[in-house]
């Protein structure tokens, strides 16, 4: 990977803001919509590890999460989390930005992007 890769959903307003910020600041990047191109389980596990656990990678305040039956929200193993994300890709917080060295971060704010991509 020679450039930043941004993972998200093309219709997500936060992803649009992040892409616009990167464009305006001359940060070369590739955008991958993870509904169209599902993220490999090994990569999802790596992101969860880097971020401090699945709870940091999965958006547990989303409508998708809240619509899940209570028993589905009790995921505790990698396999259970991966099955949920495979079925409901929108559970992954967005955007996920991955720098050329493989470091992942989630979310967007102008301040954090300024610090990360300056």
């Amino acid at each position: 990977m020679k450039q930043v890769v941004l993972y998200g959903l093309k219709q997500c307003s936060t992803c649009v803001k992040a892409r616009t910020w990167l464009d305006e600041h001359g940060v070369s990047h590739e955008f991958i919509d993870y509904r169209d191109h599902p993220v490999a389980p090994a990569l999802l596990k790596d992101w969860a590890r880097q971020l401090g656990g699945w709870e940091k990678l999965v958006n547990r305040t989303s409508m998708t999460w809240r619509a899940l039956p209570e028993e589905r929200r009790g995921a505790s193993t990698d396999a259970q989390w991966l099955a949920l994300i495979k079925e409901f890709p929108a559970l992954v917080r967005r955007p996920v930005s991955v720098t050329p060295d493989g470091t992942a971060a989630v979310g967007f704010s102008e301040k954090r992007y300024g610090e990360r991509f300056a």
Side-chain angles (χ1 to χ4, degrees), residues 5-7 12 16 33 35 37 41 44 48 69 75-76 81 89 103 105 114 116 118:
V5 180
L6 202 64
Y7 295 84
C12 169
V16 171
D33 184 309
R35 276 197 181 129
H37 304 283
L44 288 167
S76 60
W81 283 112
T103 303
R116 187 158 194 234

Side-chain angles (χ1 to χ4, degrees), residues 7-108:
Y7 295 84
L9 303 174
K10 58 186 156 228
Q11 300 300 321
C12 169
S13 61
T14 306
C15 292
V16 171
K17 289 177 191 175
R19 293 171 73 187
T20 299
W21 189 97
L22 292 170
D23 286 339
E24 289 174 352
H25 291 84
V27 179
S28 177
H29 66 282
E30 174 185 6
F31 179 76
I32 297 175
D33 184 309
Y34 47 67
R35 276 197 181 129
D36 296 337
H37 304 283
V39 178
L43 192 52
L44 288 167
K45 285 170 60 173
D46 182 53
W47 293 349
R49 180 193 54 75
Q50 286 188 52
L51 297 169
W54 290 103
E55 292 78 10
K56 303 285 185 180
L57 180 61
V58 171
N59 183 355
R60 298 188 315 165
T61 62
S62 70
M63 292 299 293
T64 303
W65 179 263
R66 289 183 285 190
L68 289 174
E70 189 64 38
E71 62 273 7
R72 298 288 309 270
R73 292 188 221 162
S76 60
T77 67
D78 287 347
Q80 290 170 333
W81 283 112
L82 291 168
L84 269 178
I85 291 169
K86 182 177 183 178
E87 187 174 350
F88 304 102
L91 285 174
V92 175
R93 289 181 61 196
R94 1 181 231 278
V96 176
S97 58
V98 181
T99 53
D101 68 358
T103 303
V106 292
F108 168 75

